[in-house]
Amino acid sequence: MNRFAIISDIHGNLQALQAVLTRMADLDVQSAICLGDIVGYGPSPKECLDLVVRCCSVVVRGNHDEAVVDLRCASEFNGAARKAIHWTNQVLGPMHLDALNRLKYVEVIIDDKVTCVHDCPVPGPSDYVHDSTMAAMAFNGLTTPICLLGHTHIPMVFEAPACRAAPVTPANVTTYRPIADEPIKLHPQQRYICNPGSVGQPRDADPRASFAVLDLDEMTFTVHREAYDIAGTQLETQRVGLPNILAERLAIGA
Ligand code: ZN
């Protein structure tokens, strides 16, 4: 069986992560892959990190994970995000900070078929792969037929020709906006960049937790959405004293 749950951008939202893990149990996956940003923004970084380490066979490092370990990176974030990074650094002990610090930026897995990265597999003008221009650039730096990435918090699939004779241009990239529970077919003569969306802070106006299943036998990528106790996470966000905006945005998926 070659069937994996793909989770990303959990951002310390324990209620969302638990709901996704419960749903995953019904989806017959052999293991889970985490594309980073386990912490930052949300009120339960320790609990989320413990669960991710326990449940995932592969975990890569996100930009928030990085900034929590190295606070010099926190200056690049906006006010609320920066506050959350400093708060997270304070509440994580040395053991959890060390676990974050040991995560790699990129993992190539499953017989060199799949690249796992948080933001973008190649350096560029932006590290958000959210359109065909950025996807074309990413495809040109990729060595595997499939790349899994997160960072935008929006589920998305980009397709480009597998033939590398000519560089990929934005015009040869096809973009798919996944519909929940509807598999997207991955064709062997094409290459793919697949984003499962965000477990803990979705930004596509659907507040439900987002994750995906990659099935390498069926060759499909399926995004799933799972409702969770948003009010519970909001209360916890307020209780620990994180900025209110971080609680409010969860209700609208922004
Ligand atoms: Zn993120």
Side-chain angles (χ1 to χ4, degrees):
M1 187 174 67
N2 263 317
R3 204 170 138 81
F4 306 88
I6 317 297
I7 62 173
S8 189
D9 297 278
I10 294 120
H11 286 296
N13 186 338
L14 181 63
Q15 282 82 353
L17 179 59
Q18 283 172 330
V20 163
L21 293 175
T22 303
R23 175 85 184 276
M24 257 167 56
D26 295 331
L27 290 171
D28 202 23
V29 292
Q30 73 187 65
S31 70
I33 293 167
C34 174
L35 305 175
D37 276 5
I38 303 153
V39 303
Y41 295 131
S44 309
K46 229 180 225 178
E47 296 82 351
C48 288
L49 184 52
D50 286 340
L51 269 178
V52 164
V53 166
R54 194 178 330 142
C55 302
C56 296
S57 55
V58 176
V59 186
V60 292
R61 169 196 297 233
N63 56 320
H64 286 253
D65 306 324
E66 166 117 322
V68 162
V69 173
D70 182 354
L71 289 173
R72 286 171 303 178
C73 307
S75 58
E76 295 160 21
F77 291 79
N78 70 42
R82 195 165 58 240
K83 272 192 190 135
I85 282 164
H86 282 275
W87 177 85
T88 305
N89 173 276
Q90 292 294 307
V91 299
L92 291 183
M95 217 176 69
H96 285 87
L97 288 172
D98 186 56
L100 284 178
N101 197 30
R102 275 185 281 121
L103 300 176
K104 291 186 189 161
Y105 291 98
V106 183
E107 296 267 11
V108 177
I109 57 169
I110 317 170
D111 303 328
D112 293 341
K113 277 200 202 98
V114 180
T115 300
C116 303
V117 66
H118 177 64
D119 43 27
C120 184
V122 291
S126 157
D127 49 13
Y128 288 87
V129 181
H130 51 58
D131 60 19
S132 53
T133 304
M134 280 302 296
M137 218 185 64
F139 276 120
N140 289 324
L142 270 177
T143 55
T144 59
I146 296 173
C147 174
L148 303 172
L149 51 75
H151 194 45
T152 66
H153 296 210
I154 295 173
M156 199 97 83
V157 171
F158 299 100
E159 181 186 77
C163 169
R164 298 210 182 94
V168 176
T169 64
N172 9 79
V173 174
T174 306
T175 304
Y176 299 93
R177 293 297 296 264
I179 295 166
D181 305 323
E182 288 190 12
I184 291 174
K185 186 80 190 145
L186 309 179
H187 302 278
Q189 66 277 26
Q190 307 283 340
R191 292 189 284 155
Y192 292 90
I193 294 173
C194 304
N195 186 329
S198 168
V199 170
Q201 195 198 76
R203 294 181 190 160
D204 60 346
D206 181 344
R208 295 176 298 171
S210 186
F211 72 106
V213 171
L214 173 68
D215 190 320
L216 291 175
D217 296 326
E218 299 284 328
M219 286 303 279
T220 54
F221 183 80
T222 311
V223 167
H224 298 285
R225 302 305 287 252
E226 192 63 23
Y228 73 95
D229 178 13
I230 292 175
T233 301
Q234 289 177 316
L235 275 176
E236 191 59 13
T237 303
Q238 287 157 345
R239 191 188 68 78
V240 302
L242 284 165
N244 216 16
I245 178 78
L246 300 178
E248 285 164 3
R249 66 190 301 179
L250 297 176
I252 51 171

